[in-house]
Structure formats: C-alpha cells, structure tokens
Amino acid sequence: MENLMTPYKSVLTIAGSDSGGGAGIQADIKSISACGAFAASVITATTAQNTQGVLDIHAIPMAHLELQLEAVLSDIEFGAIKIGMLHSCEVIEVVKSKLEEYDVKNIVLDPVMVATSGNKLIADDAIDCLKEFLPKADLITPNIHEAELLIGHSIGLHNFETSAIEIGKRFNTSVLLKGGHLESSFSELTDILYEHGSGEIHKIFNPKIDTKNTHGTGCSLSSSIATFLCLGHSLEMAVRKGCAYVNEAIALGKNKTLGKGNAPINHFGL
C-alpha cells in the first residue's frame, strides 16, 4: 500500500514572547500559520507587555535556551528560520552556535532593537554582537530606525535606496529596508529589497493605511517571508507575498480595538 504520509512545511521562530499577544513569538506563530506552514518556537525572553508598551523583560536562562534549540533542531526539519528578539550577546552566541551546528537554511532575521512603543529591547553592548551575526542571515528586515543604528547615519527619501545597498554590502546579506517610518505625503508605502547575491534592487509598493493598529507588523512580516521561503518561493516573491499579506492584515485590523493602546494587525481576518 502506498505511503500517503507527507511532512509538514515547517518554520522555526526564535524570538521573545509578548504577553499581550500582538508581537513577538505570538505574532510569528499566527503569521506562519496564516501563510500555510507549521510553526515551532524557541523563546529567548518573556516580556510583560500589552498594547501600551513593554513593562519588563525576563531573559530565559542560557542552558534552557540551548536545550530548546537542541530539542527542535535535532527532531524537526525546517524550511526556514525566523529570528527576532536577541537581547544580549550571550543569546546571540548560543543561537549562532546552534544554527551553525545544524546548517539551517533560509534565515530571515528581524534586527529588533526598539519596540513600536519606543521601548528598548536590546542591551547596548549587544548591538555590536548583532552586527557580527547579521552576515549569517539570508535576509534582514530592518525598519528605518534600526537601519540607522546599523549604518550610523540618518535615512530619508533622498538616500533610502542607497542605504539598503549600503547595509547589504556592509553585512554581506540581502536586505528588505522597510519604508513605513519614512515621512511622506504619498498614498503608497515603498519598501526596498536589495538581493546581495545578484545585486538586484526591487521596489515593493503597498497602499498606505491610516491606522494606529500596527502592533507586531515587523514580527509578522519577517515570519511571513520566512514562511513563503519555506514553501519554495524565490526571495523576491517571498518578500512580495509577505508584504502583501501584512498589508492586508493591517487593513483588516484597521477598525478593530484591543486594549487601551495600539492594537495589533488582524492575522486571520477575524
């Protein structure tokens, strides 16, 4: 009798937990599931967090973090890895070591440093460690503020595209530079994808949506891109599909409310 068993298309997210459910691991699992893959998770830290901000960050002990990574990587084959909050050099070193040991592919790294609320999510000395880790990623997805921290100068409309290229060449990786924080009167938002291997530049346009309900957009975008890579799409197509998914989720959450602050995007169109 023919064996009809088929493996899940699986994505691993390595990130922090958001107790409010809008960002971090929780947003990643929702995005991966909504985009068609199975989500596994490794938690780097827990946060006391809601729609209004981050109240506290509690680091997961390094030994337990290492065991989480060992448990899933030794058992499950992943088509892509999404990496989010890496708040210390110790965390970065443990994650780097385990990913090298298991020779994983399709690493999408969201260089999370500052939350949308303005709360800092990384220790000062960890920024340099993060920079050293970036070349291990196949794609990084910084917003404007994170990109400015990475290259040390301001970014505006005049140098948006060249900054994406500069980051990619400096850190030897492909870059999706997100334009959501750019001051612009245009009705469209532009993201720039720089493909490091080919040197190609792709502009991705989506309609600008007037809403404050954008909690978790960065986490959701990087995890959805990882999902589409896992499903076999090219980098350009995975990025385009991920951007389209998040833009639709923002639109679907525009008229929703949750808590007293900035509500999350609507991952499932609920």
Side-chain angles (χ1 to χ4, degrees):
M1 184 176 178
E2 185 180 355
N3 184 1
L4 299 179
M5 302 289 284
T6 58
Y8 283 105
K9 299 288 188 179
S10 302
V11 177
L12 173 63
T13 168
I14 304 169
S17 169
D18 173 4
S19 54
I25 285 281
Q26 287 80 357
D28 293 340
I29 291 173
K30 292 169 187 173
S31 299
I32 294 165
S33 302
C35 293
F38 179 85
S41 64
V42 166
I43 298 176
T44 59
T46 61
T47 66
Q49 185 175 173
N50 56 26
T51 62
Q52 299 177 83
V54 180
L55 305 178
D56 189 39
I57 299 173
H58 175 72
I60 298 297
M62 290 302 103
H64 184 63
L65 173 60
E66 188 170 6
L67 283 173
Q68 287 185 77
L69 288 161
E70 178 69 26
V72 293
L73 290 170
S74 66
D75 182 48
I76 302 169
E77 182 177 347
F78 294 104
I81 311 285
K82 176 264 163 85
I83 303 175
M85 181 180 171
L86 302 174
H87 56 280
S88 71
C89 286
E90 291 79 8
V91 170
I92 293 168
E93 285 305 314
V94 169
V95 171
K96 177 182 176 183
S97 174
K98 280 297 172 186
L99 295 185
E100 287 178 346
E101 179 182 342
Y102 283 94
D103 193 27
V104 299
K105 59 184 178 180
N106 291 329
I107 298 175
V108 179
L109 192 153
D110 184 14
V112 177
M113 289 182 266
V114 181
T116 303
S117 59
N119 297 101
K120 199 172 178 185
L121 298 174
I122 188 171
D124 287 334
D125 62 348
I127 294 177
D128 287 337
C129 295
L130 182 63
K131 288 179 179 179
E132 292 177 7
F133 184 43
L134 295 184
K136 300 294 183 182
D138 296 284
L139 174 71
I140 64 173
T141 61
N143 61 33
I144 295 296
H145 303 314
E146 292 159 348
E148 289 175 339
L149 283 173
L150 292 177
I151 56 176
H153 63 70
S154 61
I155 299 174
L157 289 171
H158 67 288
N159 66 347
F160 184 45
E161 184 174 322
T162 57
S163 294
I165 299 170
E166 181 183 350
I167 294 168
K169 289 184 175 180
R170 180 176 299 187
F171 297 106
N172 296 311
T173 185
S174 295
V175 179
L176 176 64
L177 182 54
K178 299 177 290 191
H181 291 101
L182 278 178
E183 292 296 329
S184 170
S185 60
F186 301 130
S187 60
E188 282 188 322
L189 293 177
T190 304
D191 300 318
I192 296 290
L193 171 63
Y194 165 74
E195 291 198 67
H196 182 62
S198 65
E200 293 182 2
I201 290 286
H202 308 282
K203 293 184 178 181
I204 299 153
F205 303 101
N206 279 293
K208 183 187 292 187
I209 299 167
D210 185 17
T211 179
K212 292 183 178 180
N213 295 347
T214 57
H215 186 50
T217 49
C219 306
S220 301
L221 178 59
S222 53
S223 53
S224 62
I225 292 170
T227 303
F228 290 120
L229 287 172
C230 174
L231 296 176
H233 295 285
S234 67
L235 179 60
E236 179 191 355
M237 185 54 64
V239 168
R240 289 189 182 278
K241 289 177 75 68
C243 288
Y245 163 71
V246 170
N247 192 258
E248 182 181 10
I250 293 172
L252 291 169
K254 177 182 178 180
N255 297 318
K256 293 284 189 176
T257 61
L258 183 77
K260 300 173 183 177
N262 294 332
I265 66 175
N266 192 345
H267 294 89
F268 298 106
L270 301 175

